[in-house]
Amino acid sequence: MIDPDGFRPNVGIVLMHDDGRVFWARRVRRDGWQFPQGGINTDETPLEAMYRELREETGLLPAHVDVLGATPGWLRYRLPPHAIRHRDKLVCIGQKQVWYLLRFRGLEGDVQLDGTDCPEFDHWRWVDFWYPLQHVVTFKRSVYARALAHLAPHARAVAGALAVPEYALPGRGIGQARQR
């Protein structure tokens, strides 16, 4: 499903350990690392899509997490020109996402990356809350910055200010992010 502006509705998942570190996963057969994310089916709410994507990409169930917060409305990013499939009937120029912050309540053994026929990830680890901003592919950095800036107060309420310090976004004040 692609909206009239060419954006595919999607959810992003920031899975956080109680100590403020977040789940960071490597894409199968690629060197890229990212947060779990995926499309919203036409018959799903963003929350339903988030739980489905969580199960498909990490093996985790609703009992393994608590929802701590979500971005209000859509955060958008554009795909780089080489990634746009112009031959498709509906051309997708990017993603529009609702991001969720989840508190991990399970055991590390509950994470199962190979629970589907086509796993998305082949390795994962816990990283500092702001680490992904410098390590995700360039075209996703601004959406990651906006999502993390919005979710940081929720994370800080659980893990504390030392684990989730303020972060100054380029061109903006500390902890401020532009919403679209």
Side-chain angles (χ1 to χ4, degrees), residues 60 64 104-112 124 126:
L60 297 175
H64 295 126
F104 181 59
R105 294 296 211 176
L107 303 172
E108 294 202 7
D110 295 327
V111 176
Q112 300 294 319
W124 70 275
W126 296 111

Side-chain angles (χ1 to χ4, degrees), residues 20-98:
R21 292 177 300 151
V22 293
F23 180 92
W24 192 233
R26 184 177 65 194
R27 303 269 309 180
V28 170
R29 292 180 295 283
R30 296 190 185 138
D31 194 30
W33 290 71
Q34 69 177 54
F35 290 130
Q37 70 175 57
I40 300 172
N41 295 330
T42 55
D43 63 341
E44 290 179 311
T45 66
L47 185 65
E48 291 168 337
M50 182 276 297
Y51 280 122
R52 178 183 48 76
E53 288 293 335
L54 180 71
R55 182 181 33 78
E56 289 175 5
E57 296 189 4
T58 68
L60 297 175
L61 302 172
H64 295 126
V65 299
D66 293 328
V67 177
L68 298 177
T71 56
W74 302 108
L75 301 179
R76 290 174 173 79
Y77 70 85
R78 290 183 175 269
L79 294 168
H82 71 272
I84 297 173
R85 297 182 204 138
H86 292 283
R87 292 187 183 138
D88 289 353
K89 187 175 182 180
L90 294 173
V91 176
C92 176
I93 64 164
Q95 309 255 12
K96 64 180 188 180
Q97 301 175 308
V98 174

Side-chain angles (χ1 to χ4, degrees), residues 148-164:
L148 288 174
H150 179 79
L151 299 171
H154 302 289
R156 209 170 284 120
V158 170
L162 291 176
V164 185

